[in-house]
Amino acid sequence: GECNLGVVGAYNRAVVRAAQDGSRWVVLADDDLIFPPGWWGVARGLMQALPHAGVLSWKSTHHPPEVCGLVEPATRLAGYCYVFRVEVWKELSGFDERFHHYRGDEDFALRATLAGYPSYRVHWPLVEHEEHAAVRANPELDAEGWRAKDNHAWQEKWGKSGEAAEADALRRYGLMGAV
């Protein structure tokens, strides 16, 4: 029968395939994104400028940036537009599949940062994102149920809010503030 692996399970299978193909970096992008002109050039430039980064995650037009600057250290990152090195994914043993749809991306960025691979929120160029379009179009996906389960899994694993976990990780590595 068919099994819903969730977003996090799909992420892991995509990265396995990319690693088998010899990729060093992976771009995970939701199907409801529109990339602006020049996005790939900026992404490539950041990958070269930040070779030890854990994750790069883009801000969207749906949630425009609150701070100035091109990037800021962060772990509360949304996986709708994620860029990371396969090597980091392997070291972290992939995305934690206890998370189905929500919080798995945030967990991955937090673990990367705690492992010494800082993660960053990128403020330019913004990607267009129709947030949760697939979930709205398919109510059988039970977004609220998965959100509740994933929030519970987060609390069991980390024992603190995402905000507190991010602040602790960024302080630990002296990464507070925009770059």
Side-chain angles (χ1 to χ4, degrees):
E2 213 173 288
C3 174
N4 183 344
L5 301 172
V7 172
V8 176
Y11 285 169
N12 280 331
R13 275 121 192 110
V15 180
V16 166
R17 181 69 178 268
Q20 290 169 343
D21 291 344
S23 298
R24 293 184 334 191
W25 287 84
V26 173
V27 176
L28 295 177
D30 282 6
D31 63 353
D32 56 359
L33 285 182
I34 298 173
F35 291 98
W39 180 88
W40 180 241
V42 171
R44 258 193 355 235
L46 286 171
M47 288 183 253
Q48 292 169 347
L50 300 166
H52 301 292
V55 176
L56 303 173
S57 177
W58 267 254
K59 290 292 280 184
S60 76
T61 53
H62 189 77
H63 295 288
E66 302 85 23
V67 300
C68 296
L70 182 59
V71 297
E72 72 173 315
T75 63
R76 300 201 67 222
L77 302 176
Y80 58 79
C81 186
Y82 238 44
V83 178
F84 57 90
R85 289 181 297 123
V86 170
E87 172 187 320
V88 172
W89 178 86
K90 286 179 179 178
E91 186 173 321
L92 299 177
S93 300
F95 287 88
D96 185 339
E97 293 188 22
R98 285 181 284 186
F99 301 101
H100 185 269
H101 186 85
Y102 301 94
R103 308 296 296 261
D105 41 15
E106 183 179 350
D107 173 79
F108 184 80
L110 178 60
R111 288 187 297 125
T113 298
L114 291 172
Y117 303 104
S119 297
Y120 298 93
R121 183 176 296 116
V122 181
H123 291 267
W124 183 89
L126 299 178
V127 296
E128 278 188 55
H129 181 223
E130 188 181 338
E131 191 170 354
H132 303 298
V135 173
R136 281 194 311 276
N138 299 283
E140 70 277 6
L141 294 177
D142 186 25
E144 291 309 312
W146 283 116
R147 181 178 283 119
K149 289 175 186 173
D150 288 353
N151 284 337
H152 180 74
W154 176 275
Q155 282 300 317
E156 281 189 340
K157 181 173 185 174
W158 295 106
K160 59 179 96 173
S161 70
E163 293 91 348
E166 177 181 64
D168 290 350
L170 296 180
R171 265 194 299 279
R172 180 177 177 181
Y173 291 99
L175 296 170
M176 300 299 278
V179 174

